[in-house]
Short mmCIF file of all heavy atoms in Angstrom, two decimals:
data_model
loop_
_atom_site.label_atom_id
_atom_site.label_comp_id
_atom_site.label_asym_id
_atom_site.label_seq_id
_atom_site.Cartn_x
_atom_site.Cartn_y
_atom_site.Cartn_z
N GLY P 1 -51.70 3.86 -171.11
CA GLY P 1 -52.28 5.08 -171.42
C GLY P 1 -52.04 6.26 -170.49
O GLY P 1 -52.32 7.31 -170.96
N CYS P 2 -51.63 5.89 -169.28
CA CYS P 2 -51.79 7.07 -168.22
C CYS P 2 -50.47 7.87 -168.36
O CYS P 2 -50.39 8.98 -168.04
CB CYS P 2 -51.66 6.44 -166.83
SG CYS P 2 -53.31 5.66 -166.46
N GLY P 3 -49.28 7.35 -168.99
CA GLY P 3 -48.21 8.02 -169.21
C GLY P 3 -47.46 8.38 -167.95
O GLY P 3 -47.72 7.98 -166.78
N THR P 4 -46.38 9.27 -168.06
CA THR P 4 -45.64 9.64 -166.96
C THR P 4 -46.13 10.93 -166.22
O THR P 4 -46.67 11.77 -166.87
CB THR P 4 -44.17 10.13 -167.30
OG1 THR P 4 -43.60 8.98 -168.09
CG2 THR P 4 -43.35 10.53 -166.24
N VAL P 5 -46.32 10.71 -164.95
CA VAL P 5 -46.77 11.87 -164.00
C VAL P 5 -45.54 12.58 -163.42
O VAL P 5 -44.73 11.98 -162.77
CB VAL P 5 -47.78 11.35 -163.05
CG1 VAL P 5 -48.20 12.54 -162.08
CG2 VAL P 5 -48.90 10.52 -163.55
N HIS P 6 -45.38 13.94 -163.57
CA HIS P 6 -44.35 14.59 -163.06
C HIS P 6 -44.65 15.96 -162.67
O HIS P 6 -45.77 16.60 -163.20
CB HIS P 6 -43.07 14.60 -164.03
CG HIS P 6 -43.39 15.23 -165.27
ND1 HIS P 6 -43.89 14.72 -166.32
CD2 HIS P 6 -43.06 16.55 -165.66
CE1 HIS P 6 -44.01 15.58 -167.30
NE2 HIS P 6 -43.63 16.75 -167.00
N ASN P 7 -43.92 16.63 -161.83
CA ASN P 7 -44.00 18.05 -161.42
C ASN P 7 -42.98 18.94 -162.24
O ASN P 7 -41.98 18.40 -162.42
CB ASN P 7 -43.76 18.16 -159.85
CG ASN P 7 -44.95 17.53 -159.11
OD1 ASN P 7 -46.13 17.79 -159.32
ND2 ASN P 7 -44.71 16.48 -158.24
N LEU P 8 -43.34 20.09 -162.39
CA LEU P 8 -42.29 21.07 -162.93
C LEU P 8 -41.74 21.96 -161.77
O LEU P 8 -42.47 22.21 -160.74
CB LEU P 8 -43.13 22.02 -163.80
CG LEU P 8 -43.84 21.45 -165.15
CD1 LEU P 8 -44.58 22.59 -165.82
CD2 LEU P 8 -42.75 20.78 -165.87
N PRO P 9 -40.44 22.13 -161.95
CA PRO P 9 -39.70 22.88 -160.88
C PRO P 9 -40.26 24.21 -160.76
O PRO P 9 -40.61 25.02 -161.85
CB PRO P 9 -38.36 22.79 -161.18
CG PRO P 9 -38.32 22.48 -162.77
CD PRO P 9 -39.57 21.76 -162.99
N LEU P 10 -40.38 24.79 -159.63
CA LEU P 10 -40.87 26.11 -159.33
C LEU P 10 -39.84 27.20 -158.91
O LEU P 10 -39.98 28.43 -158.93
CB LEU P 10 -42.01 26.11 -158.10
CG LEU P 10 -43.33 25.34 -158.36
CD1 LEU P 10 -44.09 25.40 -157.11
CD2 LEU P 10 -44.02 25.88 -159.63
N ASN P 11 -38.53 26.64 -158.59
CA ASN P 11 -37.55 27.49 -158.14
C ASN P 11 -36.97 28.40 -159.34
O ASN P 11 -36.84 27.79 -160.36
CB ASN P 11 -36.50 26.66 -157.31
CG ASN P 11 -35.78 25.68 -158.12
OD1 ASN P 11 -36.49 24.87 -158.90
ND2 ASN P 11 -34.48 25.58 -158.11
N GLU P 12 -36.48 29.46 -158.97
CA GLU P 12 -35.96 30.31 -159.94
C GLU P 12 -34.31 30.55 -159.86
O GLU P 12 -33.81 30.44 -158.68
CB GLU P 12 -36.61 31.79 -159.83
CG GLU P 12 -38.00 31.83 -160.13
CD GLU P 12 -38.32 31.69 -161.52
OE1 GLU P 12 -37.57 31.81 -162.39
OE2 GLU P 12 -39.49 31.27 -161.73
N PRO P 13 -33.64 30.76 -160.78
CA PRO P 13 -32.12 30.95 -160.79
C PRO P 13 -31.77 32.25 -160.06
O PRO P 13 -32.68 33.20 -160.08
CB PRO P 13 -31.68 30.93 -162.14
CG PRO P 13 -32.88 31.38 -163.05
CD PRO P 13 -34.15 30.78 -162.24
N SER P 14 -30.67 32.34 -159.58
CA SER P 14 -30.23 33.53 -158.92
C SER P 14 -28.72 33.75 -159.03
O SER P 14 -27.95 32.79 -158.80
CB SER P 14 -30.69 33.64 -157.37
OG SER P 14 -30.11 34.72 -156.77
N ALA P 15 -28.35 34.87 -159.43
CA ALA P 15 -26.85 35.21 -159.49
C ALA P 15 -26.15 35.16 -158.12
O ALA P 15 -25.07 34.95 -157.92
CB ALA P 15 -26.69 36.37 -160.36
N ASN P 16 -27.06 35.64 -157.28
CA ASN P 16 -26.50 35.93 -155.82
C ASN P 16 -27.64 35.32 -154.95
O ASN P 16 -28.36 36.14 -154.38
CB ASN P 16 -26.11 37.35 -155.55
CG ASN P 16 -25.38 37.39 -154.13
OD1 ASN P 16 -25.30 36.57 -153.41
ND2 ASN P 16 -25.00 38.67 -153.86
N PRO P 17 -27.65 34.12 -154.67
CA PRO P 17 -28.75 33.53 -153.96
C PRO P 17 -28.96 33.99 -152.45
O PRO P 17 -30.03 33.93 -152.03
CB PRO P 17 -28.41 31.95 -153.91
CG PRO P 17 -27.44 31.83 -155.10
CD PRO P 17 -26.71 33.05 -155.24
N LEU P 18 -27.89 34.52 -151.90
CA LEU P 18 -28.03 34.92 -150.53
C LEU P 18 -28.34 36.37 -150.31
O LEU P 18 -28.62 36.90 -149.14
CB LEU P 18 -26.68 34.55 -149.55
CG LEU P 18 -26.33 33.19 -149.64
CD1 LEU P 18 -25.06 33.02 -148.90
CD2 LEU P 18 -27.45 32.30 -149.14
N ALA P 19 -28.28 37.10 -151.44
CA ALA P 19 -28.48 38.53 -151.29
C ALA P 19 -29.87 39.01 -150.65
O ALA P 19 -29.67 39.80 -149.62
CB ALA P 19 -28.31 39.26 -152.65
N GLY P 20 -30.88 38.63 -151.07
CA GLY P 20 -32.17 38.87 -150.49
C GLY P 20 -32.33 38.49 -149.11
O GLY P 20 -32.87 39.28 -148.17
N ILE P 21 -31.87 37.32 -148.61
CA ILE P 21 -31.97 36.83 -147.35
C ILE P 21 -31.15 37.61 -146.51
O ILE P 21 -31.62 37.97 -145.27
CB ILE P 21 -31.57 35.41 -147.39
CG1 ILE P 21 -32.62 34.47 -148.21
CG2 ILE P 21 -31.39 34.86 -146.01
CD1 ILE P 21 -32.28 33.00 -148.25
N VAL P 22 -29.94 37.93 -146.87
CA VAL P 22 -28.96 38.90 -145.98
C VAL P 22 -29.59 40.13 -145.78
O VAL P 22 -29.71 40.71 -144.63
CB VAL P 22 -27.61 38.97 -146.71
CG1 VAL P 22 -26.83 40.11 -145.88
CG2 VAL P 22 -26.89 37.55 -146.69
N THR P 23 -30.27 40.75 -146.77
CA THR P 23 -30.92 42.13 -146.65
C THR P 23 -32.05 42.05 -145.77
O THR P 23 -32.19 42.87 -144.81
CB THR P 23 -31.44 42.59 -148.04
OG1 THR P 23 -30.29 42.63 -148.94
CG2 THR P 23 -32.12 43.97 -147.86
N ARG P 24 -32.91 41.02 -145.80
CA ARG P 24 -34.00 40.80 -144.92
C ARG P 24 -33.55 40.64 -143.52
O ARG P 24 -34.25 41.22 -142.63
CB ARG P 24 -34.89 39.66 -145.48
CG ARG P 24 -35.83 39.96 -146.47
CD ARG P 24 -37.03 39.09 -146.46
NE ARG P 24 -37.81 38.95 -147.64
CZ ARG P 24 -39.14 38.68 -147.72
NH1 ARG P 24 -39.76 38.43 -146.53
NH2 ARG P 24 -39.88 38.63 -148.72
N ALA P 25 -32.59 39.82 -143.38
CA ALA P 25 -32.09 39.44 -141.99
C ALA P 25 -31.51 40.81 -141.32
O ALA P 25 -31.77 41.01 -140.08
CB ALA P 25 -31.01 38.41 -142.07
N ALA P 26 -30.84 41.60 -142.05
CA ALA P 26 -30.31 42.81 -141.56
C ALA P 26 -31.35 43.70 -141.10
O ALA P 26 -31.30 44.36 -140.11
CB ALA P 26 -29.46 43.58 -142.63
N ALA P 27 -32.46 43.84 -141.95
CA ALA P 27 -33.68 44.73 -141.60
C ALA P 27 -34.28 44.23 -140.48
O ALA P 27 -34.73 44.93 -139.54
CB ALA P 27 -34.46 44.76 -142.78
N ALA P 28 -34.57 42.84 -140.31
CA ALA P 28 -35.08 42.32 -139.04
C ALA P 28 -34.24 42.48 -137.87
O ALA P 28 -34.87 42.76 -136.76
CB ALA P 28 -35.33 40.84 -139.24
N GLU P 29 -32.87 42.52 -137.99
CA GLU P 29 -32.16 42.68 -136.87
C GLU P 29 -32.21 44.17 -136.32
O GLU P 29 -32.12 44.45 -135.21
CB GLU P 29 -30.62 42.44 -137.20
CG GLU P 29 -29.60 42.54 -136.08
CD GLU P 29 -29.70 41.43 -135.05
OE1 GLU P 29 -30.40 40.45 -135.34
OE2 GLU P 29 -29.25 41.65 -133.98
#
């Protein structure tokens, strides 16, 4: 009766996965 226990994914799709990270890194530099 307990059934399957599972988690739902939290990550979001991205057309350009590195864009935000590159922008933040440039600002930090």
Side-chain angles (χ1 to χ4, degrees):
C2 291
T4 301
V5 181
H6 62 274
N7 292 302
L8 298 175
L10 298 178
N11 61 311
E12 299 290 337
S14 174
N16 189 352
L18 300 181
I21 291 170
V22 170
T23 300
R24 280 209 193 205
E29 183 71 17

